[in-house]
Amino acid sequence: YKERQEPLKIDTGKKVLSFNTVEFTKLPVYMQEQERLKFSVEQRQLLLNPDKKPSKFFLRWVKDAKFPDSLQPKIEEILTRTSE
């Protein structure tokens, strides 16, 4: 207590996150929780690794998912990997 006579000053972040500023991938309501996790993990792997090809599972659900505008070109590039 002796060392902290003055209150701690913490600099808060300037940018506030809200549902309007953060982009989400919208998955269909009929997709089960395990499938949602599997899809999001594979999506992350495909975005990080340009050599990885999408699985049948990913290709089945990619048409039903709605991606943010910033991810749309990357998803189209991932879908072209299947034809190579």
Side-chain angles (χ1 to χ4, degrees):
Y1 177 77
K2 227 178 195 182
E3 299 163 357
R4 294 191 190 163
Q5 292 295 328
E6 296 180 23
L8 295 175
K9 294 182 181 179
I10 299 172
D11 194 21
T12 58
K14 305 250 189 273
K15 188 175 181 184
V16 178
L17 297 178
S18 70
F19 285 105
N20 294 333
T21 59
V22 178
E23 297 178 328
F24 293 103
T25 299
K26 191 168 184 183
L27 301 173
V29 293
Y30 47 85
M31 192 180 216
Q32 296 177 358
E33 186 178 351
Q34 295 97 347
E35 293 172 329
R36 289 172 182 263
L37 288 172
K38 185 176 178 182
F39 185 85
S40 61
V41 167
E42 184 166 354
Q43 177 186 348
R44 197 172 308 114
Q45 289 174 347
L46 288 166
L47 290 171
L48 294 176
N49 185 0
D51 298 330
K52 183 172 172 48
K53 294 193 177 198
S55 67
K56 288 182 181 180
F57 173 81
F58 185 84
L59 293 173
R60 186 260 176 263
W61 285 109
V62 74
K63 297 173 193 133
D64 296 329
K66 292 183 182 174
F67 299 98
D69 294 336
S70 61
L71 273 184
Q72 199 64 39
K74 294 177 185 175
I75 296 299
E76 291 171 6
E77 187 269 324
I78 288 171
L79 292 176
T80 59
R81 293 184 207 167
T82 58
S83 59
E84 294 174 356

